[in-house]
Amino acid sequence: MGNLINFQDSFFIAGAYGMVGRAIYKNLLKNGYGNEKIGGRILRPSRNELDLTNFDLVNKWFQINKPTIVIICAAKVGGIIANSEFPFEFLIENLKIQNNLIEISKMHKVKRLLFLGSSCIYPKFAKQPIKEEYLLNGKLEKTNEPYAVAKIAGIKLCESYNRQYNLDFRSVMPTNLYGQFDNFHLTNGHVIPSLMHRFHLAKIKELPKVEVWGSGKPLREFLHVDDLSDACMFMLQLPKSEYQKNTEKLASHINIGSGNELSISELVSMIKTEVGYKGDVVFNKDYPDGTPRKMIDSSKLMRLGWKPKINLKIGLHLTYEWFKENFYSMRK
């Protein structure tokens, strides 16, 4: 770790029990934080312990616990179907969570804040690869527009506080994530975990075919969650002057991606091979494809010195092994 964050800091991971929050917590522990003898207190209240949508409760929690670094990875998330069926929940819950955390962090003078968004904030037909400055330059994908609008509001809230009060609130925009502790729900999960679960069930039940939603043609970029946690730590250690020099006042977020993309049909083939399923695959074109291509430009972050370490083949293997040992074994 660099000297911008030290063992006197108290880290508050909002959303600590989700996929991203757990990866960041693991990363902090790996670097010595959370050791009572050394320091580096890590605060990670569960949803039952702290309702992030309740302003008064969050404010009181800050008063008692006094975090100095806040990492916001708490969010209501889901795939295309979930976003389409519950637009109100995706908008209002995400707005409440992030607005409370960002405003209260300002009130309590936290040293640094890192807000995690999503690459779905960008226009549906944005020029590829998508640069940070393409934000708000076109219409959003309709199926996840409420979620995207909430995340854009979070970026702009951090940006506005920085401009008006000279704070150090940073925003990063990860590409599509996957890995351990992902949501493996068959219908409400994202593409990798839900497909992995579907192929696994088809294998053990010896089903003749697996249905995949959509045409398989859209192109997607994926990043393992452990690479994201490394990128977040890199961003937290970046000097404020470097962060400001590599962003703009009205485009103050930084993309985090792998730099590689593939079609959904190619991804399906890789997952099918990793799982060891021998049956057929049928693409159901009655389901929406979503954005045709979504490749983000991570050149700013990579020029600063960060690079991903886990390629997709290895990442899928690690994820499937975790799924079998943890998620599926608990549900048999």
Side-chain angles (χ1 to χ4, degrees), residues 16 43 90 127 164 166 250 265 331:
L43 306 165
F90 276 89
K127 183 180 176 182
Q164 191 167 338
N166 193 30
L250 296 178
S265 61
R331 286 158 172 78

Side-chain angles (χ1 to χ4, degrees), residues 49 110 120 138 170 197 206 209 235 239-240 258 290:
E49 294 170 321
V110 302
C120 73
R170 308 177 182 192
H197 192 175
E206 299 183 344
K209 64 181 181 180
M235 286 300 302
K240 184 178 179 181
S258 65

Side-chain angles (χ1 to χ4, degrees), residues 199-213:
F199 275 109
H200 182 81
L201 290 177
K203 176 186 174 181
I204 63 175
K205 293 180 179 180
E206 299 183 344
L207 300 179
K209 64 181 181 180
V210 169
E211 180 181 274
V212 177
W213 297 340

